[in-house]
Amino acid sequence: MEEIHFLDDIWVGKDDLKVSVFDLSVARGYGIFDFLRTYGNKPFRLAEHIDRLFISAKLLDIAVPKSKEEIEKIVYEGIEKNAFKETAIKIIVTGGISIDSITPGKPSFIVTFTKAPEYPQDYYTKGVKIITLPFTRFLPEVKSLDYFAAVVGMKKAASLGAKEVLYIDEEQRITECTRNNIFFVKNNSLVTPAEKGILKGITRKVVLEAAKKVSINVTEREITLDELPFFQEAFNTASTVEVLPVVTIDDTAIGDGAVGPVTKKIMKAFRDITSDRG
Amino acid sequence: MEEIHFLDDIWVGKDDLKVSVFDLSVARGYGIFDFLRTYGNKPFRLAEHIDRLFISAKLLDIAVPKSKEEIEKIVYEGIEKNAFKETAIKIIVTGGISIDSITPGKPSFIVTFTKAPEYPQDYYTKGVKIITLPFTRFLPEVKSLDYFAAVVGMKKAASLGAKEVLYIDEEQRITECTRNNIFFVKNNSLVTPAEKGILKGITRKVVLEAAKKVSINVTEREITLDELPFFQEAFNTASTVEVLPVVTIDDTAIGDGAVGPVTKKIMKAFRDITSDRG
């Protein structure tokens, strides 16, 4: 079956889902997006993702060409038209065609619908390795198209058998992964970087809800790289990978290097929320 | 007359110069480019720009789909086909369509041909204001499509009547502008940031040649922001703006706030080189 996507005002096939080379999304990596997935092929936390798109837009002074209600309608329509088992949805607002190759123009509005990715089961039973990269995102609260460092970092990760990249800022603070937030376990409680200077992950927020439901304490605070040896467990959170256990960071095993009991409890509590489509 | 551009293997009009939304150039700001202009509608320093494109490609492990000789031929053909008075040429290699939205795919090869931009005469007779922005580029030696911070910075500059943005790194070092290199004048000599941690500007290199021809000394070294009050003149260099006098940085006048004698000498020596098409 051919994929159907939304481009500006029409539904198009994959081969017609194109933007001008003069659009700042191509020319300058300038634009915003949001990304979500379905459970039971119903969009999960759609309103929160659309709200965050509008926050990104506001921070950059980009005018989103559609209303929140229109976007919601397009997302539901696209899910139905494509009829995947589970759908990954990406909503993009581009920088638009620029007259001088630097000043934003009239944005294009795009929604892509693809099959939700699945990951090998042993990612979740054995956990994964991730690597660190010294990098500070520009305007980290904005979900922009600027993932140049992420692509470079993920290529390096792949070459080392790692599945994600953890950004470390110039003060040696742990901030976030390329497309994920990070959590650690210390004395049966969760520790995660505070919201300032990171993208406010919606899966991160769902994990905070999950932790509350199963009475696990969470501390949101500054975390520095030299604390790694003192954590017993770690996991990543994102719409795609959900709750992904991390057992090695660079060459340091986290705790005993296996998926720990607190992570397992959070994974289960998270699944309970998503299967409720809450 | 319609513009004609090169896309992968064919010549296309402006309306057909498009790339897939799934190409990492759109999705992730991932790709490389180089940019040059003509003098007398002959490409200026074409070989050096093509060499730099291949250096960017090598640093990212991107396979450029054309040879240097093929690119040279396409550039000459495009200039002839478009028949502008002077041409701006942008050579782009995209990240390609990715299967997982993060791993690079088969790159697209694009060359755009547009009318070379012209700037108001008083930019050069009165000089311009620029502003500073705390920002460190990721892999600064690569001319990548990642200009998200540049677009944001230039919007802020425009709102303040400024024409460029000067990046300041976390150690308060002056590095480079969004698309330009920066030079200062101190005691009739030029001072410019050393090449490490900046893009190796080809116009910067031509200015070094120009300075040599008119016996002006140049020191390439680390420059910190607190040195600004001790400089008598400043200017920006880029293929587009050539040698652009800078008379104000943020709210600090450089020297007496007028275009100075050393800058004028360099502007003239630069014009002598470009009019020779050297």
Side-chain angles (χ1 to χ4, degrees), chain A residues 68-117:
Chain A
K68 291 184 180 184
E69 295 69 28
E70 286 169 324
I71 295 173
E72 202 160 303
K73 195 165 158 275
I74 292 163
V75 167
Y76 275 98
E77 268 184 59
I79 291 170
E80 203 181 308
K81 279 178 194 288
N82 281 283
F84 298 117
K85 190 163 165 261
E86 297 287 0
T87 314
I89 301 133
K90 193 167 176 177
I91 310 166
I92 303 171
V93 182
T94 74
I97 294 178
S98 177
I99 43 161
D100 60 1
S101 191
I102 200 83
T103 307
K106 186 172 170 286
S108 263
F109 177 80
I110 297 159
V111 189
T112 69
F113 299 86
T114 51
K115 200 173 145 293

Side-chain angles (χ1 to χ4, degrees), chain B residues 123 125-130 233-235 244-249 252-260:
Chain B
Y123 279 28
T125 54
K126 294 183 180 167
V128 301
K129 171 182 173 169
I130 67 176
E233 305 175 33
F235 57 86
L244 178 64
V246 171
V247 293
T248 308
I249 299 182
T252 305
I254 303 300
D256 62 5
V259 182

Side-chain angles (χ1 to χ4, degrees), chain B residues 46-91:
Chain B
L46 175 58
E48 287 174 55
H49 283 279
I50 295 175
D51 284 349
R52 189 172 61 178
L53 181 78
F54 276 79
I55 290 168
S56 296
K58 195 177 174 184
L59 289 170
L60 294 181
D61 196 24
I62 289 178
V64 180
K66 300 282 174 196
S67 70
K68 291 185 179 184
E69 296 68 29
E70 286 168 325
I71 296 173
E72 202 162 302
K73 195 164 159 275
I74 292 163
V75 167
Y76 275 98
E77 267 185 59
I79 291 169
E80 203 181 309
K81 280 177 194 286
N82 281 283
F84 298 117
K85 191 162 164 262
E86 297 287 2
T87 313
I89 300 133
K90 191 168 177 176
I91 310 166

Side-chain angles (χ1 to χ4, degrees), chain A residues 3 5 14 17-22 24-30 33 60-61 90 92 100-102 104 110 112 114 133-135 138-139 142 144-152 154-155 170 179, chain B residues 3 5 14 17-22 24-30 33 60-61 90 92 100-102 104 110 112 114 133-135 138-139 142 144-152 154-155 170 179:
Chain A
E3 288 170 18
H5 307 284
K14 190 173 182 177
L17 189 67
K18 291 180 176 182
V19 293
S20 168
V21 168
F22 296 106
L24 288 192
S25 59
V26 185
R28 302 295 190 187
Y30 186 77
F33 77 106
L60 294 181
D61 197 25
K90 193 167 176 177
I92 303 171
D100 60 1
S101 191
I102 200 83
I110 297 159
T112 69
T114 51
L133 181 72
F135 177 63
F138 185 73
L139 302 185
V142 175
S144 79
L145 297 175
D146 174 16
Y147 279 66
F148 176 64
V151 174
V152 174
M154 286 298 288
K155 273 174 69 175
E170 60 272 15
R179 297 154 296 167
Chain B
E3 289 170 17
H5 308 284
K14 191 174 182 176
L17 190 67
K18 292 181 176 181
V19 294
S20 168
V21 168
F22 296 105
L24 288 192
S25 59
V26 184
R28 302 295 189 187
Y30 185 78
F33 77 106
L60 294 181
D61 196 24
K90 191 168 177 176
I92 303 171
D100 60 1
S101 191
I102 200 82
I110 298 158
T112 69
T114 51
L133 181 72
F135 178 63
F138 185 73
L139 302 184
V142 175
S144 79
L145 298 175
D146 174 16
Y147 278 66
F148 176 65
V151 174
V152 173
M154 286 298 289
K155 274 174 68 175
E170 59 271 16
R179 297 154 295 167

Side-chain angles (χ1 to χ4, degrees), chain A residues 237-255:
Chain A
T237 63
S239 293
T240 44
V241 295
E242 305 172 299
V243 177
L244 178 64
V246 171
V247 293
T248 309
I249 299 182
D250 293 330
D251 294 315
T252 304
I254 303 300

Side-chain angles (χ1 to χ4, degrees), chain A residues 14 18 44 51 102 120 126 190 210 222:
Chain A
K14 190 173 182 177
K18 291 180 176 182
F44 184 67
D51 284 349
I102 200 83
K126 294 184 179 165
L190 296 183
E222 191 174 299

